[in-house]
Amino acid sequence: MNRLYYGDNLDVLRRHIGDESVDLVYLDPPFNSNADYNVLFGHREGHPAPAQIQAFEDTWRWDQAAAEAYTETVETGADVSRALQSFRTVLGDSDMLAYLSMMAPRLVELRRVLKDTGSIYLHCDPTASHYLKLLLDSIFGPQNFRNEIVWKRTTAHSDSGRAGRIHDILLFYSKGDSYTWNKVFQPYDPEYVEKYYRYVDELTGRRYASGDVAAAGAGPAKYFKGVLREPPPGSHWRFSQEKIDQFVSEGRIYFTKNGFPRYKRFLDEMSGTPLQDIWADKDVQPVVSWSSEGLGYPTQKPEALLDRIIQASSNESDVILDPFCGCGTTIAAAQKLGRQWIGIDITHLAITLIRHRLRHSFGEGIEATYQVIGEPTSLPDAEALASEDPYQFQWWALGQVGARPAEQKKGADQGVDGRLYFHDESEAGKTKQIIFSVKAGATGPAHIRDLSGVVKREKAEIGVLLTMQEPSQPMRKEAASADYYESSWGKHPRLQILTIQDLLDGKRIDYPPSRQVDRTFKKAPKILKAAEKQLEFGSDSN
């Protein structure tokens, strides 16, 4: 069964992913660019965003954790140990050394889980690509380096004092010599098409290029019946007599003024250019704010980019692993292409977004084909998460009801921990909202009164308290004293209380059916046919 893990990918790899069980790894780790990323549906620090949730930062610091990671790897004595020691000589105890020290054990584990026929693509930018390449050389062997792929990730930049930085790097390594490689084609450059496919067939209107029917060197004595019996000296006809006759009958052969045959290569029959190591074509354009697949995740990559990688380096039913799966582009692409998948992320924000993305793209039946591991499944689990990381607990609880976290601002949260948006038929086109307050500690009637005030202030239709503790009778009475929100589906309590145990038991908010009206998340494109195909083998995967 496909698996989605919440947790530190190093721990998950070591505890849950078996030796030689994965066919392809794609990872897009933080680049050490000193940028904090705001999610969900925000942008990089300093730009306006509807919901400023700092889900992760890619700033690495040389601290105790980095020093321990460095020591652990160095003490293995392997080639990667010598690489890290060399980095320390050059870089000192710097933030870049911290980044490389944290990446090294993860790359070692990724090599372990790869099959002998497997490959890995590490997506990075020029900030660290040269160091990462040396690190990969020490782990996979320089002989298994296959490509440094340049992907044009954005349009022109005006960078002060230097050329505009508009590309990312993908470092492609195999585990061994016998690795999966399927021929993939890129579309022809428009200038190439205009130059070489400049002819138009008079009968069909199809564009074609003029192709040579002779090839250099000795060959079989083929001939064109009644026209030419021999190729020019020192050459041979490149097609068999059967093919020549077929092409003549189809009108694919024409003759120049001097009577020499030429072959019509029709553009609509050509696959394109075999895949090259510079990807700047229109098929892998970056995700922008108006892209149909855009989810507002700041580091989101286009599905077409992952489609290309997966098609080139795996086959149907192979297992694809993404240890930094973010908003789930690798997972969505693998699902669409009939592969099995494993995703790992360290935030519940990402896990919630991926689940929503899969459900919307492939239908609700998709949930039967994968398992989420690492999320709370019992009240003690939830209590432990709340104690260890209150933000992760809050994000997990909101994810259970399809809500997204509210804005993170300096100072008080003003009583709003999450929001859920919906439309119903009572006022066509008007967006309605539900306000959430999440409490892991003790609660009382005052929290219900506070929530009521927030609902009025925010002009929301419904307010919901998500609480770890069982609500007291006075709390229930306070909630029941509020009026109802009325929709075409009936009356819905204006104030509602759901315990964490309620959520674990599958209880949900009373509001107009979300399948028809939910507007909380941006929608990923639907891919229902692929989902049906995946359902055929969903429970049989490793």
Side-chain angles (χ1 to χ4, degrees), residues 278 281 317 505:
I278 296 179
D281 52 276
S317 299
D505 292 340

Side-chain angles (χ1 to χ4, degrees), residues 3-6 320-323 325 331 341-345 351:
R3 287 166 284 166
L4 185 58
Y5 290 93
Y6 160 69
I320 316 298
L321 168 64
D322 186 342
C325 60
I331 289 169
W341 51 262
I342 300 169
I344 309 170
D345 203 273
I351 301 300

Side-chain angles (χ1 to χ4, degrees), residues 61-336:
R61 296 284 179 254
W62 182 259
D63 54 17
Q64 186 63 35
E68 290 175 358
Y70 173 88
T71 300
E72 179 186 347
T73 303
V74 164
E75 288 180 351
T76 65
D79 288 346
V80 66
S81 168
R82 290 182 282 278
L84 275 188
Q85 292 179 67
S86 299
F87 288 146
R88 193 168 194 176
T89 300
V90 174
L91 299 170
D93 294 345
S94 63
D95 296 342
M96 182 60 76
L97 181 63
Y99 177 64
L100 297 169
S101 297
M102 299 298 280
M103 287 300 302
R106 288 162 173 79
L107 292 171
V108 169
E109 290 302 316
L110 291 172
R111 184 185 184 281
R112 175 186 63 80
V113 304
L114 271 176
K115 296 178 182 177
D116 289 339
T117 54
S119 300
I120 183 171
Y121 288 74
L122 196 163
H123 193 140
C124 55
D125 76 358
T127 306
S129 61
H130 46 306
Y131 297 120
L132 290 168
K133 187 173 185 295
L134 289 171
L135 194 59
L136 286 163
D137 279 348
S138 71
I139 295 169
F140 285 85
Q143 73 278 9
N144 290 319
F145 168 70
R146 301 302 167 191
N147 280 114
E148 179 179 276
I149 298 165
V150 175
W151 174 54
K152 184 181 176 181
R153 61 174 170 80
T154 187
T155 53
H157 269 194
S158 179
D159 290 332
S160 178
R162 54 179 151 188
R165 295 166 293 176
I166 62 171
H167 77 277
D168 283 353
I169 297 293
L170 289 104
L171 299 173
F172 167 31
Y173 282 74
S174 65
K175 189 171 182 178
D177 293 333
S178 301
Y179 58 97
T180 299
W181 180 254
N182 302 313
K183 185 167 282 190
V184 173
F185 295 90
Q186 294 175 258
Y188 290 126
D189 184 277
E191 292 182 2
Y192 174 84
V193 171
E194 287 300 319
K195 182 176 181 179
Y196 292 101
Y197 286 86
R198 63 184 183 273
Y199 307 103
V200 178
D201 185 79
E202 294 180 358
L203 295 178
T204 65
R206 298 162 70 193
R207 295 184 68 131
Y208 69 88
S210 178
D212 198 341
V213 297
K222 307 296 179 186
Y223 63 93
F224 288 90
K225 291 181 179 178
V227 182
L228 290 174
R229 292 185 176 276
E230 295 180 359
S235 65
H236 66 277
W237 301 126
R238 68 172 64 241
F239 302 116
S240 68
Q241 184 64 54
E242 182 181 8
K243 275 290 184 183
I244 290 173
D245 294 342
Q246 176 188 334
F247 290 160
V248 169
S249 67
E250 293 174 350
R252 289 176 178 262
I253 301 293
Y254 70 99
F255 294 87
T256 62
K257 291 180 181 179
N258 63 6
F260 196 80
R262 300 286 292 177
Y263 167 61
K264 296 180 180 180
R265 293 202 317 268
F266 288 108
L267 178 61
D268 57 17
E269 294 180 345
M270 306 304 293
S271 300
T273 304
L275 194 61
Q276 306 297 300
D277 64 4
I278 296 179
W279 297 357
D281 52 276
K282 64 180 181 180
D283 283 7
V284 288
Q285 292 298 301
V287 176
V288 292
S289 58
W290 57 87
S291 298
S292 61
E293 67 180 271
L295 299 173
Y297 199 87
T299 58
Q300 183 177 353
K301 301 303 183 292
E303 278 192 30
L305 182 72
L306 274 301
D307 288 348
R308 180 171 290 180
I309 292 169
I310 291 170
Q311 289 170 336
S313 293
S314 72
N315 298 310
E316 193 165 324
S317 299
D318 280 356
V319 178
I320 316 298
L321 168 64
D322 186 342
F324 294 89
C325 60
C327 66
T329 300
T330 305
I331 289 169
Q335 182 76 25
K336 177 178 63 178

Side-chain angles (χ1 to χ4, degrees), residues 439-504:
K439 301 296 181 186
T443 54
H447 291 107
I448 303 298
R449 290 192 291 271
D450 290 344
L451 179 59
S452 177
V454 172
V455 168
K456 292 175 183 177
R457 186 192 72 218
E458 299 290 323
K459 296 181 174 58
E461 280 60 44
I462 295 171
V464 180
L465 175 67
L466 303 179
T467 173
M468 188 80 74
Q469 307 296 324
E470 191 70 27
S472 64
Q473 186 58 35
M475 290 175 64
R476 294 188 182 278
K477 184 177 180 181
E478 189 72 38
S481 67
D483 60 359
Y484 290 85
Y485 168 66
E486 296 188 23
S487 74
S488 302
W489 287 272
K491 292 184 176 182
H492 314 277
R494 184 76 66 177
L495 297 179
Q496 302 177 30
I497 305 173
L498 287 175
T499 67
I500 297 303
Q501 189 61 58
D502 288 336
L503 299 182
L504 294 170

